[in-house]
């Protein structure tokens, strides 16, 4: 018979990965999703998403610039972070990350050069002096927009976008790997971790772009593009359903049909943390938004739609928190569970995450102010191109 | 003189004079030599056996370790977890000295992004604290709570079998000090070592065998219900309370 055990002496092992890690995972997820949304236009040629294609690229890039700062913040020896590039280790997902986190933003940058070139060329035509020089330089030294340059730009943004897709998936998928390989932590150790992270990243990213579209994108008449938002909402609804399905597989097989340490997770998630995981994270932030997104009558209650998208974004953040912090609240040897609430200030405090958001907002404002991302800028170009191609076609016919 | 120490001295005086002279030639290595500088070879495979029947839970080993290795207050490279076992009609104490298991297949090593942590040829798992970036990945990956981020060096820290002592032919501090003679340290490759003999003669257990880590710290008399995460009432304090207490010291 197993005795009733009372722990008298044991070391307490607190939370080593603080809340900047959920923030990091959250941001890489947004980046991956935003990149894939831009790829819908640049790679798959879906014109419906063109009004937000460039904006998505900007989000994908800026968020990925802000994200790794969280990683550095969480290191014990922050000054040594660069050594990750020459002290490498093939079996460590964290080591792969160093290379993904450098090549992927470079790819976005390159793609951006071609995606924004025409816009800069147009700006260069209108500007004068130093700005003209700058814009011309950014337009790769050519301030003309012709059918030929358009063709080239499209070709390159298509190519780079296509190459970028696996990188976008990897840059977030690897974060799931980081957790998934840790067999010491029953909440993390599942092959489903990369995939559930990816799908929930899509959830947060689509909801995030939906909100940004509502905030920033206007059609020619200056109206909110509800058609596009509805399209995003439906996409979001289905992605949430996929997310929930994967969760169902994970929780049912991973915990309910498992042995030993995995059983602790049931108590932790579904009893002790019932409210934050089941009620808030799953019901309020996934199930209800999915219903709102997929039922047209509900979706048309616009404040409800926007609120649901916001709640979804927050819910995915909570999922990252519950996974990263929650996983560490289940002791490896000690009895019971730990309880963690982060300090407000200082290293590993809440303000680190707030500061990271602030930095991203700053970057985002800077980029959207400077870059010609609005499709309205492009409209004229598009007409130019159609005119030109019409002329070309005529020429060909003659 | 207890037998394992005699054993150890024999080993120094006798066959391993080579190792001793090598230790004299190689400038005294820090516990944390970089992998290419690993001075050990695979002639020896160090391991530990803890005879729980002899452990009295005095924590002399925990104290000796902390003094020997200058472990910061509030952290432990080894600790004797202590439990009250209530069988209904009877009750008894159980003690369980914990330390790094110097796993044959250590998950902490495979996840380290910088290879700062590695397994030496003689099986001792060490951390090069000049390479370690303090990412804490190894702390997460160790199934045994053997590691922590040292708040003074800001790098990963854990038991290294007192490598600076063993290289000089001494026993680890915890073994040296163990009142009950419960900790036996020795060469698993040597069939005549005391640890090899005891492993042959007794049925032994390891912690969390299901993790596939193949620990090199063995126990005699380890109950199944203490092998993995303990299912019971936790210690009645939290980390915050502990930190507060420590801050007042
Ligand atoms: S006990 Fe932990 S720290 Fe020690 S070798 Fe095994 S996994 Fe690594
Ligand atoms: S804390 Fe140091 S030893 Fe541990 S995984 Fe990170 S770099 Fe490696």
């Amino acid at each position: 018979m197993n005795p009733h055990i009372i722990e008298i002496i044991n070391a307490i092992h607190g939370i080593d990965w603080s809340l900047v890690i959920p923030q990091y995972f959250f941001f890489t997820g947004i980046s991956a999703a935003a990149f894939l949304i831009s790829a819908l236009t640049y790679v798959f040629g879906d014109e419906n998403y063109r009004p937000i294609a460039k904006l998505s690229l900007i989000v994908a890039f800026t968020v990925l610039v802000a994200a790794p700062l969280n990683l550095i913040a969480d290191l014990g020896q922050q000054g040594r972070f660069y050594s990750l590039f020459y002290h490498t280790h093939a079996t460590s997902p964290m080591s792969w990350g160093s290379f993904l986190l450098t090549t992927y933003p470079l790819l976005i940058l390159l793609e951006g050069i071609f995606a924004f070139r025409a816009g800069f060329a147009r700006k260069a035509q209108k500007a004068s002096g130093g700005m003209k020089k700058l814009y011309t330089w950014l337009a790769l030294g050519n301030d003309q927009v012709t059918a030929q340059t358009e063709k080239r730009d499209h070709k390159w943004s298509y190519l780079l976008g296509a190459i970028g897709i696996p990188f976008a998936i990897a840059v977030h998928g690897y974060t799931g790997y980081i957790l998934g390989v840790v067999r010491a932590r029953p909440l993390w150790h599942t092959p489903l971790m990369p995939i559930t992270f990816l799908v929930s990243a899509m959830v947060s990213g689509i909801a995030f772009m939906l909100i940004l579209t509502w905030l920033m994108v206007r059609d020619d008449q200056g109206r909110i593009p509800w058609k596009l938002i509805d399209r995003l909402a439906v996409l979001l609804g289905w992605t949430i359903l996929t997310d929930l399905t994967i969760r169902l597989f994970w929780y049912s097989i991973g915990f309910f049909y498992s042995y030993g340490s995995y059983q602790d997770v049931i108590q932790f998630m579904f009893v002790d943390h019932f409210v934050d995981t089941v009620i808030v994270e799953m019901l309020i932030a996934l199930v209800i938004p999915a219903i709102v997104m997929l039922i047209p009558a509900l979706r048309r209650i616009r404040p409800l739609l926007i609120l649901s998208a916001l709640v979804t974004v927050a819910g995915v953040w909570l999922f990252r928190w519950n996974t990263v912090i929650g996983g560490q609240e289940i002791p490896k040897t000690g009895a019971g569970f730990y309880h963690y609430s982060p300090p407000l200030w200082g290293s590993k405090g809440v303000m680190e995450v707030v500061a990271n958001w602030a930095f991203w907002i700053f970057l985002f404002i800077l980029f959207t102010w400077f870059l010609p991302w609005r499709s309205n800028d492009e409209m004229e170009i598009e007409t130019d191109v159609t005119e030109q191609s019409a002329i070309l076609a005529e020429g060909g016919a003659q | 003189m207890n037998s394992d120490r005699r054993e150890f001295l024999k080993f120094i005086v006798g066959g391993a004079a080579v190792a001793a002279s090598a230790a004299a030639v190689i400038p005294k290595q820090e516990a944390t030599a970089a992998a290419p500088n690993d001075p050990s070879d695979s002639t020896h495979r160090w391991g530990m056996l803890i005879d729980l029947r002899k452990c009295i839970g005095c924590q002399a080993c925990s104290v000796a370790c902390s003094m020997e290795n200058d472990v910061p207050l509030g952290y432990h490279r080894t600790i004797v977890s202590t439990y009250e076992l209530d069988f209904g009609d009877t009750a008894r104490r159980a003690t369980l000295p914990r330390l790094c298991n110097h796993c044959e297949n250590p998950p902490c090593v495979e996840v380290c992004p910088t290879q700062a942590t590695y397994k030496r040829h003689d099986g001792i798992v060490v951390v090069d604290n000049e390479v370690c970036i303090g990412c804490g990945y190894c702390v997460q990956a160790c199934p045994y709570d053997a590691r922590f981020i040292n708040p003074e060096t800001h790098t990963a820290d854990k038991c290294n079998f007192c490598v600076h002592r063993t290289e000089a032919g001494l026993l680890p501090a915890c073994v040296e000090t163990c009142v009950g003679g419960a900790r036996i340290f020795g060469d698993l490759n040597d069939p005549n070592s005391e640890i090899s003999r005891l492993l042959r003669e007794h049925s032994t257990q390891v912690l969390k065998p299901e993790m596939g880590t193949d620990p090199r710290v063995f126990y005699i008399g380890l109950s199944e219900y203490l092998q993995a995460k303990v299912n019971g009432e936790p210690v009645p304090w939290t980390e915050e309370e502990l930190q507060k207490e420590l801050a007042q010291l």
Side-chain angles (χ1 to χ4, degrees):
Chain A
M1 184 198 95
N2 280 2
H4 176 66
I5 305 174
I6 302 157
E7 195 175 55
I8 301 173
I9 298 172
N10 200 14
I12 294 182
H13 293 261
I15 303 301
D16 272 297
W17 284 353
S18 66
L19 76 173
V20 288
I21 299 296
Q23 167 70 359
Y24 166 69
F25 289 172
F26 177 80
F27 262 5
T28 56
I30 294 278
S31 176
F35 187 87
L36 293 184
I37 291 176
S38 81
L40 287 177
T41 301
Y42 290 126
V43 181
F44 300 104
D46 189 333
E47 290 300 318
N48 292 307
Y49 297 96
R50 187 168 287 283
I52 55 167
K54 293 195 177 79
L55 190 64
S56 306
L57 266 190
I58 294 177
V59 171
F61 183 76
T62 48
V63 148
L64 210 87
V65 170
L69 298 178
N70 293 296
L71 279 189
I72 298 173
D74 213 46
L75 292 184
Q77 287 282 354
Q78 292 158 348
R80 290 184 191 164
F81 80 91
Y82 57 85
S83 71
L84 281 163
F85 293 106
Y86 55 85
H87 288 143
T88 56
H89 198 183
T91 57
S92 171
M94 203 180 276
S95 192
W96 315 339
S98 329
F99 297 95
L100 289 171
L101 286 171
T102 37
T103 42
Y104 169 68
L106 273 178
L107 269 174
I108 310 182
L109 206 64
L110 280 178
E111 185 183 345
I113 289 175
F114 291 101
F116 287 105
R117 201 211 68 87
F120 277 126
R122 295 196 59 82
K123 278 195 160 192
Q125 289 164 10
K126 288 184 202 140
S128 59
M131 285 318 272
K132 188 181 179 71
K133 273 204 193 107
L134 177 66
Y135 288 141
T136 313
W137 183 73
L138 285 169
L140 303 179
N142 174 8
D143 66 3
Q144 293 308 305
V145 181
T146 64
Q148 232 167 0
T149 64
E150 280 290 89
K151 210 175 137 205
R152 181 202 57 193
D153 293 348
H154 279 179
K155 194 182 89 193
W156 279 104
S157 43
Y158 166 78
L159 247 172
L160 291 162
I163 300 172
I165 291 173
F167 276 85
I169 292 175
V171 90
H172 187 65
Y174 106 91
T175 65
Y177 238 95
I178 285 189
L179 300 183
V181 302
V182 178
R183 59 179 179 271
R185 299 243 180 248
L187 184 60
W188 297 353
H189 190 47
T190 166
L192 284 176
M193 194 52 88
I195 195 85
T196 184
F197 259 38
L198 271 171
V199 175
S200 64
M202 295 307 131
V203 169
S204 61
I206 297 168
F208 202 71
M209 287 312 301
L210 190 157
I211 295 163
L212 285 180
T213 308
W214 173 68
L215 279 175
M216 305 181 58
V217 181
R218 296 295 176 264
D219 65 12
D220 299 338
Q221 280 88 42
R223 284 176 316 214
I224 298 174
W226 286 113
K227 224 177 121 205
L228 173 57
I229 292 180
D230 276 334
R231 196 172 278 278
L232 285 168
V234 174
L235 192 63
L236 177 59
W238 285 107
T239 318
I240 294 178
L241 291 186
T242 315
D243 189 0
L244 286 168
T245 313
I246 296 173
R247 303 272 199 114
L248 183 73
F249 297 153
W250 174 19
Y251 298 152
S252 58
I253 301 178
F255 304 138
F256 288 100
Y257 287 90
S258 61
Y259 67 96
S261 53
Y262 292 88
Q263 301 281 314
D264 297 327
V265 178
I266 299 175
Q267 172 75 24
F268 181 81
M269 276 187 73
F270 299 104
V271 182
D272 294 15
H273 288 260
F274 184 79
V275 175
D276 29 324
T277 52
V278 180
I279 301 289
V280 181
E281 186 196 309
M282 284 179 245
L283 189 68
I284 298 183
L286 288 177
V287 176
I288 297 179
I291 296 171
V292 172
M293 299 299 154
L294 292 176
I295 297 179
L298 288 176
R299 196 164 67 217
R300 272 187 223 109
I301 309 171
R302 297 315 189 182
L304 183 66
L305 171 68
I306 300 300
L307 183 72
S308 302
L310 269 171
V311 169
T312 309
V313 173
V316 173
W317 206 100
L318 182 66
F319 171 53
R320 300 287 186 265
W321 161 278
N322 282 340
T323 313
V324 176
I325 306 296
Q328 298 176 80
E329 283 181 321
I330 304 173
K332 294 184 222 169
T333 59
F337 299 114
Y338 299 147
H339 300 282
Y340 177 71
S341 45
L344 186 59
W345 296 97
S347 108
K348 314 216 164 189
V350 176
M351 290 316 280
E352 268 186 356
V353 172
V354 175
N356 194 242
W357 271 101
F359 178 63
W360 172 72
I361 292 171
F362 164 76
L363 280 181
F364 184 67
I365 291 174
L366 193 74
F367 274 66
T368 44
W369 164 74
F370 185 70
L371 294 174
W373 62 271
R374 281 173 212 280
S375 57
N376 309 18
D377 307 340
E378 203 162 276
M379 279 305 166
E380 303 167 45
I381 301 163
E382 296 280 299
T383 10
D384 289 359
V385 176
T386 12
E387 270 168 28
Q388 274 160 352
S389 27
I391 295 166
L392 281 178
E394 262 172 47
Q398 276 165 5
Chain B
M1 185 185 287
N2 79 21
S3 60
D4 50 312
R5 205 170 311 165
R6 206 165 36 235
E7 166 89 36
F8 215 71
L9 287 176
K10 243 193 302 181
F11 137 74
I12 302 158
V13 180
V18 190
S21 60
V25 179
I26 301 167
K28 197 169 177 339
Q29 289 280 345
E30 253 303 302
T32 52
N37 306 332
D38 176 0
S40 72
D41 57 45
S42 40
T43 338
H44 308 293
R45 197 350 174 158
W46 303 118
M48 193 183 284
L49 173 66
I50 301 177
D51 189 343
L52 294 175
R53 299 168 306 176
K54 294 184 179 171
C55 174
I56 58 169
C58 64
Q59 305 284 355
C61 50
S62 316
V63 175
C65 170
S66 293
M67 291 173 68
E68 176 72 31
N69 297 300
D70 203 7
V71 181
L73 212 58
Y75 296 84
H76 307 272
R77 284 185 175 193
T78 186
I79 188 165
V80 184
S81 300
T82 307
Y83 305 94
E84 184 80 15
L85 307 179
D86 179 358
F87 291 90
D89 44 353
T90 56
R92 73 172 175 90
R93 279 290 166 88
T95 60
L96 174 53
R98 296 182 188 274
L99 66 158
C100 168
N101 290 283
H102 298 277
C103 306
E104 192 60 45
N105 175 22
C108 56
V109 168
E110 77 193 10
V111 300
C112 173
T114 60
Q115 303 197 42
T117 190
Y118 62 94
K119 195 174 93 188
R120 297 173 14 133
H121 293 115
D122 58 7
I124 302 183
V125 177
V126 291
V127 182
D128 183 340
N129 66 10
E130 288 181 353
V131 173
C132 173
I133 56 171
C135 66
Y137 204 176
C138 55
V139 180
Q140 303 293 350
C142 169
Y144 303 100
D145 275 340
R147 292 175 170 251
F148 56 93
I149 297 292
N150 183 315
E152 281 156 20
T153 63
H154 304 290
T155 53
D157 200 330
K158 69 171 194 66
C159 156
N160 58 12
F161 273 166
C162 283
V163 76
H164 55 292
R165 293 173 58 91
T166 47
E167 269 178 5
L170 300 169
L171 288 169
C174 58
V175 178
E176 182 85 38
T177 201
C178 178
V179 179
R183 292 189 185 230
I184 294 109
F185 178 82
D187 186 358
L188 299 167
N189 280 355
D190 174 4
N192 300 318
S193 65
E194 189 190 6
I195 186 169
S196 299
R197 185 178 59 77
L198 287 167
L199 283 171
R200 270 196 308 275
E201 291 169 2
H202 291 79
S203 101
T204 54
Q205 302 79 36
V206 293
L207 290 167
K208 294 194 180 182
E210 74 280 5
M211 284 287 154
T213 50
D214 213 352
R216 283 299 176 261
V217 171
F218 304 87
Y219 295 87
I220 294 180
L222 176 61
S223 313
E224 205 184 319
Y225 45 77
L226 295 178
Q227 258 176 325
K229 175 175 166 22
V230 170
N231 192 0
E233 282 175 40
V235 285
W237 55 79
T238 65
E239 203 202 2
E240 285 93 65
E241 285 163 1
L242 210 63
Q243 294 298 339
K244 246 182 245 155
E245 292 266 327
L246 286 173
Q248 281 167 9
L249 290 181

